Amino acid sequence: MPSEFDIIRHYFTSKQSRADVILGIGDDAAILKVPEQHELVQSVDTLVAGVHFPLETSPQDIGYKALAVNLSDIAAMGAEPAWFTLAISLPEANETWLKAFSEGLSSLAKEYNVQLVGGDTTNGPLTISITINGFVATGKALTRHSAKVGDKIYVSGMLGDAALALMQWQGQCIVQNESLAYLRERLNRPTARVELGLLLRDYASSCIDISDGLLADLGHITERSSVGATINFEDIPRSEAFNLNLTDEALITPLVLAGGDDYELCFTIPLHKQSEFKTLIKEKNISVICIGEIEETLGVRCINNNKLVDIKDMGYQHFTN
Ligand code: ADP
Ligand code: MG
């Protein structure tokens, strides 16, 4: 049986070595250097086995996803990710599991050059909590509270894939074999839109990452900004795999509007920045799509086929079933 210290040494020693880490793992706390004229941006997200991922998820994917969802929060703030800490509760010290978990985690850490600088290792039901830190030039962070009437609403990527993958996993629907790998990847290895977040700093008036579903998360922007929104269902991007496997409108609508776990960005662009923004995304070949507009009337509305969609009960809420 490896000791707690063996586990830390073998599996949680960072492979990155950033110059701004004055002191990393091994002391009582890490010492980190935020660049001059920048602000620290910090977020924490916890994944509980069986709640935030199916129990059978591979350890590589669990490691990957735990960091990806945190990177997504940093992306939504328009910040540059730099360091993270890992608080992990393990039911047993299974070295095969730990090796695979740390591979999944460190592959993504390497991709974004974020360094593991500390953590806590405990014994208990499998729970992974990552605190991520990034930085942004003073005053430049993207927030939820500054959308304005007339701003256009955009989303990155496709919505509904992760929710469809979860439904299939739970045996609630069948998907074609050729779609399965793509959909599982969307659920287990979400892409944090870090580069997009950085670009948006000069354009977006507000931004959020879609973790709980489009309606719920856009609802956070409208509430915090004291505005409302109308979105057009037909404009919301869906993947080929999604369209191929789901034809029942009664399922499509809630998955696209309220399916969680896609980790795409939803953001608003003021009218006067519209044309410059459109040129930029074309130039950089970034796939984002305008799905609606910020309005004065409070609340979020969705139009499909010229009709108002009944969106009652579509926002996912923790602690309710
Ligand atoms: P302390 O008792 O002072 O909190 P610990 O024994 O918990 O110290 O941890 C020793 C060192 O290992 C600390 O620097 C801590 O940040 C680091 N550490 C512990 N668990 C992890 C982990 N899961 N991932 C990364 N670093 C860890
Ligand atoms: Mg400790």
Side-chain angles (χ1 to χ4, degrees):
M1 266 284 280
S3 73
E4 181 192 330
F5 298 104
D6 292 335
I7 292 175
I8 297 167
R9 189 152 31 92
H10 279 120
Y11 303 109
F12 300 128
T13 302
S14 184
K15 291 166 190 74
Q16 260 59 55
S17 59
R18 292 176 57 105
D20 50 15
V21 176
I22 314 293
L23 193 59
I25 292 171
D27 215 303
D28 289 313
I31 307 178
L32 309 162
K33 190 157 181 57
V34 179
E36 307 267 314
Q37 272 140 47
H38 282 68
E39 290 166 330
L40 184 70
V41 178
Q42 185 181 73
S43 172
V44 60
D45 249 320
T46 300
L47 300 189
V48 179
V51 178
H52 300 102
F53 55 86
L55 291 171
E56 319 76 51
T57 307
S58 78
Q60 278 97 338
D61 286 345
I62 298 171
Y64 189 101
K65 186 166 183 172
L67 183 56
V69 302
N70 278 278
L71 284 167
S72 177
D73 281 324
I74 289 288
M77 300 300 289
E80 197 175 313
W83 321 291
F84 67 104
T85 56
L86 166 71
I88 188 164
S89 161
L90 295 163
E92 55 176 347
N94 175 333
E95 296 212 59
T96 313
W97 191 96
L98 279 163
K99 185 165 182 291
F101 172 84
S102 84
E103 273 167 16
L105 184 76
S106 57
S107 66
L108 189 60
K110 194 168 163 204
E111 194 180 323
Y112 287 88
N113 189 27
V114 288
Q115 185 171 336
L116 179 60
V117 294
D120 202 20
T121 307
T122 50
N123 184 230
L126 181 61
T127 307
I128 299 118
S129 187
I130 288 183
T131 299
I132 193 156
N133 294 276
F135 42 77
V136 65
T138 304
K140 292 288 278 181
L142 300 171
T143 60
R144 300 177 177 185
H145 64 252
S146 36
K148 298 278 179 309
V149 175
D151 292 356
K152 296 286 183 192
I153 302 163
Y154 283 78
V155 289
S156 65
M158 319 285 174
L159 297 189
D161 285 344
L164 174 58
L166 189 60
M167 269 186 71
Q168 188 277 337
W169 202 326
Q170 293 171 337
Q172 290 161 13
C173 70
I174 292 168
V175 309
Q176 302 191 1
N177 272 340
E178 58 267 35
S179 308
L180 196 56
Y182 165 82
L183 291 170
R184 284 272 167 101
E185 182 95 358
R186 294 277 291 155
L187 177 66
N188 291 331
R189 297 190 161 229
T191 306
R193 304 291 177 191
V194 173
E195 264 172 56
L196 176 60
L198 293 173
L199 278 179
L200 290 177
R201 288 183 296 195
D202 291 325
Y203 299 91
S205 51
S206 71
C207 185
I208 192 166
D209 68 324
I210 305 174
S211 54
D212 291 341
L214 175 63
L215 290 177
D217 289 317
L218 175 59
H220 292 312
I221 287 186
T222 56
E223 254 170 57
R224 294 293 308 273
S225 301
S226 305
V227 293
T230 296
I231 54 174
N232 302 304
F233 190 80
E234 294 106 318
D235 294 335
I236 303 172
R238 307 192 313 229
S239 71
E240 253 177 63
F242 186 97
N243 287 332
L244 183 72
N245 288 286
L246 269 191
T247 45
D248 180 0
E249 282 292 332
L251 273 179
I252 293 173
T253 316
L255 284 194
V256 169
L257 291 178
D261 267 1
D262 283 317
Y263 296 98
E264 296 297 345
L265 294 184
C266 174
F267 54 94
T268 55
I269 304 282
L271 268 187
H272 70 276
K273 293 208 171 156
Q274 241 14 259
S275 66
E276 207 190 322
F277 180 65
K278 280 187 191 152
T279 311
L280 175 91
I281 57 176
K282 214 168 168 187
E283 231 175 65
K284 302 225 175 225
N285 204 13
I286 300 169
S287 102
V288 295
I289 284 176
C290 177
I291 59 161
E293 192 173 317
I294 296 292
E295 297 168 343
E296 211 171 310
T297 311
L298 300 182
V300 177
R301 294 155 292 281
C302 180
I303 308 281
N304 191 9
N305 263 328
N306 296 317
K307 281 201 285 282
L308 207 54
V309 180
D310 183 5
I311 59 171
K312 248 192 322 19
D313 308 325
M314 274 200 201
Y316 173 81
Q317 304 225 324
H318 301 275
F319 303 114
T320 57
N321 290 308

